[in-house]
Amino acid sequence: MSLQCGIVGLPNVGKSTLFNALTSAKAESANYPFCTIDPNVGVVTVPDPRLNQITELIKPKTTIPTAMEFVDIAGLVAGASKGEGLGNQFLANIRETDAILHVVRCFEDDNVIHVSGSVNPQRDIETISTELMLADLESLDKRLQKNKKVARAGNDKKLIAELAVMESIHKALEQGQPARTVEVDENYSYVVKELQLLTTKPVLYVCNVGEDDLEGNNDYVKKVQEIAANENNKVIVVCSALESEISQLEEAEQAEFIEAAGLTEPGLHRLIRESYSLLNLSTYFTAGEKEVRAWTIKKGFTAPQAAGVIHSDFERGFIRAETYHCEDLFSLKTEAAVKDAGKYKSEGKDYLVKDGDIMLFRFNV
């Protein structure tokens, strides 16, 4: 299951530095706007201690973690919705992603240029949010004009209901509210999906701070937290420069560096997990002597849908799923002990897969 988080923000807020640290890629990072023109895509392993624990107990020949994609998108500026600063191209890149990581500069540094001349998280967030909403309004205006003509001509009740959904979103956007704030009847959720609006995407704010502010107590971070709370969004605090240093060290050196910095883990691990949660994802495992592997699914997937992530034949010919939870393995130590304790279950097509389930699929095609 390939899902993407787009890293967005104003120029020079630390997006490419963060992306480089995340992916150990080498996206160009420079102290001037628009140094990243084409979106850079990186596949990132999702850190999950449970995978290591399962491996220790099952002792397979190979272990394969699950992963997700991050896209480094060049900086947006005021007027992007009208094409300023290559805005149309950048907005199109965002449209192709599933969620937005909005990087906000929350540090002072006279050596790093700010495109607006000063550090002001509230203004910066409003700039990006406004451009996304303006782009959505323009897109929605065109769709509404076209559909109104068709609805009037044919008196199509379904189309009229769809128009009502679009008009409610349009009204919210005009009032400065993103499309995701509009409650839509589940029967018409497909309308929102088809519109492909930028402001329907979930958002995680990433406060990029200096090394001395990792606890996130500065006034800039507090302002972002206040904005996020009002929007019902989450915030994570990282130091992109520090994370970049950590990512370039050998594994043994990383542990020493992290401890010396007073951290329990790289901030990027928290960022990846929060991104995973932002996309409403969960993990199940397959485990055997040959391979222990983590698989990504959407929360609420049934057993056949989860099986289909491995191969479409598994879903098409699904018979049953044999499953137990990883926590039972951790406490009982072996699969045999799990079975003896009655924790090993046989589940049918309606079973909703839980995060942390270990599964074996039976199928026939």
Side-chain angles (χ1 to χ4, degrees), residues 254-270:
Q254 281 189 12
E256 294 177 10
F257 191 99
I258 290 166
E259 186 178 353
L263 303 172
T264 56
E265 64 175 349
L268 294 182
H269 285 193
R270 289 183 288 112

Side-chain angles (χ1 to χ4, degrees), residues 206-227:
V206 182
C207 294
N208 186 17
V209 301
E211 289 188 33
D212 296 333
D213 285 322
L214 284 172
E215 293 184 4
N217 291 325
N218 74 35
D219 290 338
Y220 296 141
V221 173
K222 290 175 182 176
K223 174 52 69 174
V224 177
Q225 290 170 333
E226 179 185 326
I227 293 168

Side-chain angles (χ1 to χ4, degrees), residues 94-114:
I94 297 171
R95 201 177 301 281
E96 294 173 4
T97 65
D98 301 285
I100 293 173
L101 303 188
H102 186 160
V103 182
V104 185
R105 178 169 168 176
C106 294
F107 66 91
E108 295 278 3
D109 189 337
D110 293 337
N111 296 315
V112 180
I113 299 166
H114 192 291

Side-chain angles (χ1 to χ4, degrees), residues 109-264:
D109 189 337
D110 293 337
N111 296 315
V112 180
I113 299 166
H114 192 291
V115 72
S116 299
S118 62
V119 179
N120 185 328
Q122 181 170 356
R123 177 202 59 211
D124 295 353
I125 288 172
E126 288 175 354
T127 297
I128 298 294
S129 299
T130 298
E131 292 307 320
L132 297 184
M133 284 189 281
L134 287 173
D136 279 350
L137 271 171
E138 183 178 356
S139 172
L140 199 50
D141 279 336
K142 294 176 182 176
R143 187 74 174 264
L144 277 169
Q145 288 173 15
K146 178 182 176 182
N147 286 21
K148 279 179 180 178
K149 290 179 182 177
V150 177
R152 286 173 188 151
N155 197 27
D156 186 323
K157 291 184 179 180
K158 180 172 179 288
L159 189 54
I160 291 170
E162 292 175 354
L163 275 172
V165 172
M166 287 187 251
E167 286 171 343
S168 64
I169 294 173
H170 191 275
K171 183 179 179 180
L173 290 168
E174 285 187 318
Q175 294 174 346
Q177 298 296 320
R180 61 181 168 273
T181 62
V182 178
E183 291 187 15
V184 176
D185 187 296
E186 189 175 330
N187 293 324
Y188 292 96
S189 59
Y190 69 90
V191 178
V192 180
K193 188 174 182 180
E194 288 174 358
L195 290 172
Q196 292 187 302
L197 299 176
L198 299 168
T199 61
T200 58
K201 301 180 188 299
V203 174
L204 172 67
Y205 287 111
V206 182
C207 294
N208 186 17
V209 301
E211 289 188 33
D212 296 333
D213 285 322
L214 284 172
E215 293 184 4
N217 291 325
N218 74 35
D219 290 338
Y220 296 141
V221 173
K222 290 175 182 176
K223 174 52 69 174
V224 177
Q225 290 170 333
E226 179 185 326
I227 293 168
N230 289 333
E231 297 175 351
N232 199 27
N233 287 326
K234 288 187 176 182
V235 177
I236 188 168
V237 177
V238 299
C239 173
S240 292
L242 181 65
E243 296 298 331
S244 183
E245 287 183 55
I246 293 172
S247 70
Q248 295 180 45
L249 297 172
E250 297 296 328
E251 192 171 339
E253 294 176 314
Q254 281 189 12
E256 294 177 10
F257 191 99
I258 290 166
E259 186 178 353
L263 303 172
T264 56

Side-chain angles (χ1 to χ4, degrees), residues 4-8 69-73 97-102:
Q4 292 185 336
C5 281
I7 303 174
V8 307
E69 292 183 3
F70 287 87
V71 185
D72 178 26
I73 296 168
T97 65
D98 301 285
I100 293 173
L101 303 188
H102 186 160

Side-chain angles (χ1 to χ4, degrees), residues 276-297:
Y276 201 72
S277 175
L278 186 67
L279 288 167
N280 199 34
L281 303 176
S282 67
T283 302
Y284 78 85
F285 305 95
T286 51
E289 292 181 0
K290 290 184 178 180
E291 176 186 280
V292 165
R293 182 164 181 167
W295 300 89
T296 298
I297 58 171

